[in-house]
Amino acid sequence: PFICLTESHLHQGILDAEIKIEGMTVYRSDRQQREKGGVVTYVREDLAVAAELKHSNSYCETLALYIPQLDLALVTIYRPPGCPEYKFKESLEEVSSWLQGLEGGHRAAPTILMSGDFNLHFLHSWSGETIEALKAESICPRAGRLIANDKRQALHLVEFVEEFFLTQFIEEATRKANILDLVFTNNSELITMCKQITNSKLSDHNTILAKLSYGLKPLEKKEKINFASTKIPEYELKAA
C-alpha cells in the first residue's frame, strides 16, 4: 500500500501531476535551499492521511504520515553523507515530537513503520553486538580520542529506536557491501517478508520490498470516462 523513496531530487518546479502513480496519492518533502535530497511517499488512494509532518533543514528530509484506518505512523527519513550532527538530531527530534503528539489524549501508541537511507554503514546488520560496541566506544573512547561525528549521529538514532521500541529488519547490504537503508517497526508481526531487488538503472541502492500483514484488498480498477467526447450521429447520405 506504500512506496517510500529517498533522495528524490524533486523541487517546487516539479508538479505532483508529473510524478503521479495511478491509484496512489503522492506526499513529498523536498530539500530546501540545497539541491538533490528530498523524500517522497506514495499511499494507496483509498487510505486517508489524518496527520502529516514535513521537515527539511537543507540536509535531512523527513516525511511522516498517520493513517488512522491502519493506526499506522509511516515515517521516511533521508540522512545524506557529510550531514552535520545537529541537523540529524533536529530531524529525529521533529519525528519524536510528532509521534508523541499522536500518543496524546490517552490513546495507545500507533504502529510505527520507519524507513530511510541513513548512510551509517558501520552499523552493519544492527546486531546487538554492534550497538553495544557503539555505546561502549562513546563512553570510553580509545586512547582519549573523541567519537567520530557519524558515530555520534548513530547513537542519536539508537536512542530514538530505543525510545519507541523499534526493531530493525534489514540484514543484507543495500548498496554494494554496505547496509545504508534501514527499516524499523514497533510491531513484530507487521513485516512478514523482506527482500531486495537490484536495478542499477533506477538507483545504485537496492529496492527493498516488504510484505505487510494488513491483508488489504486490491484496488478496483476504475473505468476511465472522457467527459469531453462527442458522439456524432450517423446520417444516411444520398448521392446528388
Side-chain angles (χ1 to χ4, degrees):
F2 321 112
I3 302 173
C4 302
L5 306 174
T6 60
E7 200 173 3
S8 61
H9 292 211
L10 295 182
H11 53 78
Q12 61 182 3
I14 300 176
L15 303 177
D16 288 354
E18 298 179 69
I19 58 171
K20 181 176 176 56
I21 297 176
E22 186 175 354
M24 310 290 280
T25 303
V26 60
Y27 299 87
R28 52 197 273 190
S29 178
D30 299 346
R31 173 163 291 181
Q32 305 296 321
Q33 300 177 0
R34 300 169 67 237
E35 294 182 348
K36 302 182 179 181
V39 295
V40 176
T41 299
Y42 292 88
V43 179
R44 262 181 44 162
E45 62 183 11
D46 60 336
L47 298 175
V49 170
E52 181 178 356
L53 167 69
K54 292 182 180 180
H55 180 258
S56 174
N57 54 27
S58 77
Y59 276 90
C60 295
E61 279 75 50
T62 301
L63 181 61
L65 310 170
Y66 177 64
I67 302 170
Q69 183 178 338
L70 306 177
D71 193 25
L72 174 71
L74 184 64
V75 181
T76 308
I77 297 176
Y78 174 58
R79 176 201 168 272
C83 176
E85 179 185 359
Y86 76 97
K87 292 286 189 179
F88 184 51
K89 184 179 180 182
E90 177 186 77
S91 296
L92 292 177
E93 289 173 346
E94 288 285 336
V95 178
S96 178
S97 178
W98 183 79
L99 288 172
Q100 290 170 2
L102 293 179
E103 297 176 11
H106 305 288
R107 185 174 64 187
T111 294
I112 299 170
L113 179 59
M114 183 173 80
S115 62
D117 178 5
F118 293 89
N119 287 295
L120 298 169
H121 63 89
F122 51 84
L123 288 175
H124 308 299
S125 61
W126 200 270
S127 66
E129 293 181 359
T130 301
I131 300 304
E132 291 306 315
L134 179 66
K135 290 180 178 180
E137 186 175 350
S138 68
I139 297 173
C140 303
R142 288 176 295 177
R145 295 170 57 188
L146 295 176
I147 187 169
N149 176 62
D150 280 0
K151 291 190 176 181
R152 290 197 302 271
Q153 296 185 52
L155 283 169
H156 293 311
L157 181 58
V158 169
E159 292 171 357
F160 178 92
V161 165
E162 291 179 345
E163 177 184 1
F164 292 99
F165 305 100
L166 303 178
T167 301
Q168 205 286 117
F169 275 76
I170 304 302
E171 298 180 347
E172 298 178 353
T174 63
R175 183 182 183 276
K176 297 182 179 180
N178 298 317
I179 298 178
L180 304 182
D181 307 272
L182 305 172
V183 176
F184 301 89
T185 184
N186 60 347
N187 182 350
S188 60
E189 299 179 353
L190 177 63
I191 299 176
T192 60
M193 181 275 293
C194 204
K195 67 177 183 178
Q196 298 187 38
I197 297 176
T198 302
N199 186 339
S200 57
K201 293 183 180 180
L202 179 65
S203 172
D204 60 350
H205 289 245
N206 295 345
T207 299
I208 298 173
L209 296 179
K211 185 177 181 180
L212 308 181
S213 59
Y214 288 118
L216 295 172
K217 295 181 179 179
L219 278 177
E220 295 182 2
K221 291 187 177 180
K222 297 180 180 178
E223 182 181 355
K224 294 183 179 180
I225 301 175
N226 185 357
F227 293 100
S229 65
T230 302
K231 185 176 182 179
I232 301 175
E234 296 182 2
Y235 295 96
E236 184 178 349
L237 301 177
K238 295 181 179 181

